[in-house]
Amino acid sequence: MGGLGNQMFQYATGRAVALRLGLGLELDLSWYHAHGSEQDREYALGPFPHAGVPADDASLSKWKRRKD
């Protein structure tokens, strides 16, 4: 549920797909922002310089529309 091991697995999966498709990797960190005070997990990959770029609101809304 958002621990370091899960974050590393999700990052590795996303990175592999992005490399295979020749795309950049944007990370949806909205769960951590929305649930930060309700749970004891926080985004832990920030200190790693190549861990992807947090997605901005415009990117997130585009993907959420596609998902719906």
Side-chain angles (χ1 to χ4, degrees):
M1 257 325 269
L4 179 59
N6 286 346
Q7 291 177 39
M8 292 171 67
F9 174 78
Q10 291 168 352
Y11 166 76
T13 302
R15 179 83 171 137
V17 171
L19 287 172
R20 183 174 294 157
L21 298 176
L23 300 171
L25 177 61
E26 291 186 4
L27 307 173
D28 179 0
L29 304 179
S30 61
W31 184 84
Y32 295 99
H33 300 299
H35 298 92
S37 62
E38 300 169 11
Q39 47 85 32
D40 62 349
R41 305 286 189 188
E42 54 187 60
Y43 179 64
L45 300 180
F48 300 99
H50 301 294
V53 177
D56 59 16
D57 290 337
S59 292
L60 291 175
S61 65
K62 177 182 80 169
W63 285 107
K64 288 179 181 178
R65 278 195 310 271
R66 292 183 85 185
K67 183 177 136 183
D68 293 339

